[in-house]
Amino acid sequence: MVKSPTVRVVLCLAITYNWHVKQLDVSNAFLHGYLDEEVYMSQPQGFLHPNYFFHYVCRLKKSLYGLKQAPRAWFYRFSSFLLKCGFKKCVSDSMFVKSTGSDILVLLLYVDDILLTGSSSVLISEIITSLKKEFAVKELGDLAYFLGIEDVRHSDSIVLTQTKYTLELLEKANLLDCKSCDTQVVKASKLSIHDGVKLDNPCHYRTLVGALQYLTVTRPDICFAVNYVSQFMHSPSDLHLQLVKRILRYLKETVDLGINLNKCDVTSLKAYTNSDWAGCLDTRRSTSGFAIFLGSNLVSWSSKKKPTISKSSAEAEYKCLSVASAELQWFSYLLNDLHVVVYSVLLLCDNTSALALATNPVFHARTKHIEIQYHTVRELVEEGFLKLQHISSEDQLADLFTKGLCFPAFSRLLSQLLGTPLSASVASSTSVTSSAVQLTEISS
């Protein structure tokens, strides 16, 4: 399955170079794979062989749905066909690239959903024709709705939203008519796993949080809040449920918010990193976050609680630098597969001690307790791949992924993160109600 950041990077290239983006769907994808292992099944009822129905079983030559080998068999069959057509499999992700002279084709595969784009419309049509001859492929036209994400293309931008999914989630939670709020989490609000009264039936809580996790694909503004409420999945309480409902109330206020991908310089990468220190009341582990830009477009973000305890704020920030640097290195490999040369890789951090640890080897004696994997950022700086730069805390966009903020700071950073004013993307209660009516008509 192709990763979400890869899809955003390819769409950035498509809008920058004016490529057409086609969407395809493979019917009964897992039935196309051939099995290398010996797999047997009993004869289906109603299809017993008249001469060999007693003590005889069927040996499968092709995969069926339900077999653990089915996904691998399908991918091997599909990738083998693309290699015959002149594509090259990228090491970085489930992406296939074909170069013909000055033209390039890019194919992204997510199980049975395919995105096809490139610089030549003729080559795109030829590949679609070849795929139709080999598989049961349905052409869905230009990109419009992919994996539950609504894609609206303009002359100089592509807007990715999940408005329909958000409205369905609000309707499932019976919060379409609730009072909205302007932030997804209260500033400096922290709860322990032991706070509140435990829910008798935690399934509702887990269902809502699981649905919110998929919404973070186009909503980086709720990434920290969803990560926070996910930490109470095993034993939620009524106070934890209130946090989830606040996220949903915020979603009602910003139901049309999404990611804008504009034409930009795709030869530069920039990352903002930040981390709190011992923020978890139960484990005292830190939460780190980063936001990565390709040119001026946000293509990747993360908010995660660290697996180990940091002994200082500098150590927490330094670990976050290492994680972000590895992500930047992966993006450089991805762009290299797409024949894009990266000239500038910049990593921004607001902690001067963490920057010193990454550039000054004299501190090594005092950082032996830090795992070896976190010192990779120092090697990337020494190799010249990565450039570190200090940034003020007020301009640190990654603050959105590590803590709750008041509305003025939240709206200012979110506007910079998404590249659009927050007020322009916030929907009124009237628009939410009308969208809900349209959703009902579509469903009916």
Side-chain angles (χ1 to χ4, degrees), residues 49-283:
H49 195 282
N51 299 326
Y52 303 101
F53 64 89
F54 187 70
H55 292 308
Y56 276 83
V57 293
C58 301
R59 179 182 176 181
L60 295 180
K61 294 182 179 180
K62 300 180 69 175
S63 61
L64 295 176
Y65 279 85
L67 291 178
K68 60 181 180 181
Q69 298 93 339
R72 185 174 67 251
W74 152 243
F75 182 76
Y76 180 78
R77 168 83 187 282
F78 185 79
S79 59
S80 299
F81 175 77
L82 291 181
L83 294 177
K84 294 179 181 178
C85 294
F87 282 86
K88 290 185 178 180
K89 172 69 174 67
C90 299
V91 180
S92 55
D93 205 349
S94 296
M95 180 177 67
F96 300 85
V97 177
K98 179 179 180 180
S99 300
T100 305
S102 59
D103 293 322
I104 183 174
L105 288 183
V106 181
L107 187 146
L108 305 179
L109 178 65
Y110 191 96
V111 188
D112 58 351
D113 292 299
I114 300 172
L115 284 185
L116 184 61
T117 185
S119 57
S120 174
S121 300
V122 177
L123 291 179
I124 291 176
S125 300
E126 292 178 355
I127 292 300
I128 293 177
T129 302
S130 301
L131 288 173
K132 287 182 177 180
K133 292 179 179 179
E134 184 72 12
F135 308 103
V137 174
K138 182 190 302 182
E139 186 175 0
L140 303 179
D142 294 333
L143 178 63
Y145 194 78
F146 182 69
L147 301 178
I149 301 174
E150 299 151 40
D151 309 86
V152 180
R153 181 162 185 171
H154 304 287
S155 58
D156 57 350
S157 66
I158 296 178
V159 181
L160 308 179
T161 61
Q162 290 174 281
T163 303
K164 182 176 180 293
Y165 181 85
T166 304
L167 291 171
E168 290 176 347
L169 179 56
L170 290 172
E171 187 177 17
K172 182 185 298 184
N174 296 322
L175 293 176
L176 272 176
D177 298 325
C178 69
K179 183 179 179 181
S180 60
C181 59
D182 51 15
T183 58
Q184 83 285 32
V185 64
V186 179
K187 180 183 178 181
S189 64
K190 294 183 179 180
L191 290 177
S192 169
I193 188 65
H194 306 292
D195 292 337
V197 180
K198 301 302 178 184
L199 299 177
D200 295 332
N201 184 14
C203 293
H204 179 63
Y205 179 92
R206 294 166 181 166
T207 300
L208 293 178
V209 174
L212 287 171
Q213 288 176 346
Y214 183 65
L215 194 56
T216 58
V217 174
T218 60
R219 298 294 300 266
D221 51 326
I222 66 171
C223 190
F224 165 73
V226 174
N227 171 263
Y228 185 62
V229 296
S230 299
Q231 298 173 20
F232 309 113
M233 291 274 275
H234 59 289
S235 182
S237 68
D238 57 339
L239 296 181
H240 304 146
L241 184 59
Q242 290 180 14
L243 295 178
V244 175
K245 289 183 177 180
R246 182 180 178 87
I247 299 175
L248 294 172
R249 289 168 52 206
Y250 167 75
L251 290 176
K252 182 187 175 182
E253 180 75 13
T254 58
V255 66
D256 293 327
L257 200 62
I259 298 295
N260 293 334
L261 302 177
N262 305 304
K263 290 185 177 180
C264 65
D265 177 20
V266 295
T267 62
S268 64
L269 286 169
K270 179 172 61 176
Y272 295 81
T273 66
N274 194 31
S275 177
D276 70 349
W277 179 42
C280 180
L281 297 180
D282 299 306
T283 63

Side-chain angles (χ1 to χ4, degrees), residues 156-434:
D156 57 350
S157 66
I158 296 178
V159 181
L160 308 179
T161 61
Q162 290 174 281
T163 303
K164 182 176 180 293
Y165 181 85
T166 304
L167 291 171
E168 290 176 347
L169 179 56
L170 290 172
E171 187 177 17
K172 182 185 298 184
N174 296 322
L175 293 176
L176 272 176
D177 298 325
C178 69
K179 183 179 179 181
S180 60
C181 59
D182 51 15
T183 58
Q184 83 285 32
V185 64
V186 179
K187 180 183 178 181
S189 64
K190 294 183 179 180
L191 290 177
S192 169
I193 188 65
H194 306 292
D195 292 337
V197 180
K198 301 302 178 184
L199 299 177
D200 295 332
N201 184 14
C203 293
H204 179 63
Y205 179 92
R206 294 166 181 166
T207 300
L208 293 178
V209 174
L212 287 171
Q213 288 176 346
Y214 183 65
L215 194 56
T216 58
V217 174
T218 60
R219 298 294 300 266
D221 51 326
I222 66 171
C223 190
F224 165 73
V226 174
N227 171 263
Y228 185 62
V229 296
S230 299
Q231 298 173 20
F232 309 113
M233 291 274 275
H234 59 289
S235 182
S237 68
D238 57 339
L239 296 181
H240 304 146
L241 184 59
Q242 290 180 14
L243 295 178
V244 175
K245 289 183 177 180
R246 182 180 178 87
I247 299 175
L248 294 172
R249 289 168 52 206
Y250 167 75
L251 290 176
K252 182 187 175 182
E253 180 75 13
T254 58
V255 66
D256 293 327
L257 200 62
I259 298 295
N260 293 334
L261 302 177
N262 305 304
K263 290 185 177 180
C264 65
D265 177 20
V266 295
T267 62
S268 64
L269 286 169
K270 179 172 61 176
Y272 295 81
T273 66
N274 194 31
S275 177
D276 70 349
W277 179 42
C280 180
L281 297 180
D282 299 306
T283 63
R284 286 305 175 187
R285 295 178 181 176
S286 305
T287 299
S288 63
F290 64 77
I292 297 179
F293 289 80
L294 176 61
S296 60
N297 293 324
L298 179 65
V299 293
S300 181
W301 54 87
S302 174
S303 176
K304 289 184 178 180
K305 188 167 71 172
K306 303 304 294 182
T308 57
I309 298 176
S310 299
K311 294 184 177 181
S312 65
S313 60
E315 181 181 336
E317 296 273 5
Y318 183 70
K319 290 179 179 180
C320 186
L321 280 177
S322 181
V323 173
S325 63
E327 190 78 2
L328 287 171
Q329 194 174 27
W330 176 80
F331 270 106
S332 68
Y333 297 152
L334 179 69
L335 291 170
N336 183 62
D337 291 334
L338 292 167
H339 299 179
V340 176
V341 180
V342 178
Y343 294 103
S344 173
V345 182
L346 183 63
L347 189 56
L348 302 170
C349 177
D350 59 0
N351 189 285
T352 55
S353 299
L355 295 177
L357 285 175
T359 55
N360 191 350
V362 175
F363 287 92
H364 178 67
R366 286 186 287 171
T367 57
K368 288 183 178 180
H369 62 282
I370 301 177
E371 291 84 346
I372 297 176
Q373 58 177 330
Y374 294 119
H375 287 301
T376 55
V377 60
R378 181 180 297 173
E379 296 180 359
L380 294 177
V381 173
E382 293 175 353
E383 293 172 0
F385 169 79
L386 193 62
K387 181 180 179 182
L388 300 179
Q389 181 176 323
H390 181 263
I391 187 173
S392 63
S393 298
E394 293 182 354
D395 298 326
Q396 179 56 272
L397 301 185
D399 268 355
L400 292 168
F401 304 104
T402 59
K403 61 179 72 71
L405 302 171
C406 59
F407 178 71
F410 174 77
S411 60
R412 177 177 58 84
L413 292 179
L414 184 58
S415 299
Q416 298 177 21
L417 187 73
L418 300 181
T420 56
L422 182 60
S423 58
S425 303
V426 174
S428 63
S429 301
T430 306
S431 65
V432 172
T433 306
S434 61

